[in-house]
Amino acid sequence: MKRIGVLTSGGDSPGMNAAIRAVVRKGIYHDLEVYGIYNGYAGLISGNIKKLELGSVGDIIHRGGTMLHSARCLEFKTPEGQQKGIEQLKKYGIEGLVVIGGDGSFQGAKKLSEQGYPTIGVPGTIDNDIPGTDFTIGFDTALNTIIDAIDKIRDTATSHERTYIIEVMGRDAGDLALWAGLADGAETILIPEEEHKMEQVVQKLQRGHERGKKHSIIIVAEGCGSGVDVAKEIETLTGFETRVTVLGHIQRGGSPTAFDRVLASRLGAQAVELLLQGKAGRTVGIENNKLVDYDITEVLSRKHSIDRDMYRLSQELSI
Ligand code: ADP
């Protein structure tokens, strides 16, 4: 293998730049030429492709976002779109591809692999919802952004007797809400993986109120509905004053934490290592802090699940 490509796709996440840097530097270290494909699969189809040098990825390890930009591209879901992408790769003589992104991006990578094009998936999403790795690139940074915001809300919360509802990202995965809830001692965590009874949420609030608690914090993953709706329901059932904060896209930005930079560097480099070994159609990840790789089709057939022990612990500690 002489030439490889790298792209970022779908929702961006902090640490993607560190992963791109690792792909480029590891590739060049092994005498490969590395090409950057801009704007995800859209740029692959249109041929928005440029050679990257060592200096092209200088000074980006600490930056959020992705220097290759990202896009959502419906055309790539069609066999014709995928074929156009493969033709571009062949035109540039690119023999292997690293795709950094979430499960949607992995679907695209799987299609390329099925058509005989060597592709490796690197899990980059703040949601931590990809099987085959304990952590995805960006999760730790987003979690710390949430904690920082909740700490600030907590400061003002102690001055007022209110129920604070914080809506965090996570349409299908409650990892951000669960970890944030544990890290910030939230009274209640609502995650899409668990059924919730509003009466129980309210009973807990009332018990706290009777014990003289000045304020309560409820973390709602967006997959459980909007924070505003939860707040309205609580106000109706209890008469307690509520305040809602929807953290939104601040969770996607910011300088990646040390953890995410190291994770991204390890996973980006490992993707290149696999291509050098002639492997294809794999995803990289870490399990128990060791590098692992799995068949991409198998990873996509698995369902991400929440850590039940952690969920139980969050309940035990927030009685
Ligand atoms: P994420 O990777 O963050 O989950 P998306 O779900 O938006 O983000 O997927 C990113 C891109 O991956 C899509 O815009 C599309 O180009 C490509 N993609 C998603 N699903 C498929 C699929 N089934 N087949 C081919 N490409 C896909």
Side-chain angles (χ1 to χ4, degrees), residues 9-12 16 41-42 70-78 82 100-109 111 124-125 129 252:
S9 163
D12 67 334
M16 278 185 165
Y41 293 121
S70 189
R72 296 207 150 91
C73 172
L74 286 180
E75 192 185 353
F76 200 72
K77 292 190 177 183
T78 66
Q82 291 151 22
I100 305 165
D103 55 356
S105 305
F106 277 19
Q107 290 287 355
K111 296 282 163 56
T125 163
D129 60 350
R252 284 259 191 90

Side-chain angles (χ1 to χ4, degrees), residues 12 14 35 38 83 105 115 120 153 162 178 188 207 215 227 231 237 242 245 253 262 268 278 282-283 289-290 300:
D12 67 334
Y35 281 72
Y38 289 76
Q83 211 42 54
S105 305
Q115 292 175 44
I120 305 288
I153 290 166
R162 285 176 190 148
L178 174 57
T188 297
R207 277 201 308 271
H215 63 263
L237 292 169
T242 60
T245 305
V262 172
R282 312 284 296 170
T283 65
N289 203 26
K290 292 271 178 291
L300 284 168

Side-chain angles (χ1 to χ4, degrees), residues 130-202:
I130 301 188
T133 188
D134 290 343
F135 296 105
T136 58
I137 298 166
F139 171 69
D140 186 64
T141 306
L143 176 62
N144 278 284
T145 301
I146 295 170
I147 298 310
D148 191 44
I150 299 179
D151 285 350
K152 287 179 176 135
I153 290 166
R154 205 179 252 290
D155 284 346
T156 152
T158 42
S159 327
H160 304 275
E161 215 167 297
R162 285 176 190 148
T163 301
Y164 288 80
I165 289 111
I166 325 279
E167 183 189 310
V168 302
M169 282 187 172
R171 260 194 296 271
D172 305 306
D175 286 51
L176 278 174
L178 174 57
W179 282 68
L182 257 177
D184 232 306
E187 276 68 27
T188 297
I189 303 165
L190 304 185
I191 55 173
E193 293 88 344
E194 288 287 329
E195 288 257 356
H196 303 285
K197 294 213 167 55
M198 222 30 172
E199 303 87 76
Q200 282 170 359
V201 173
V202 162

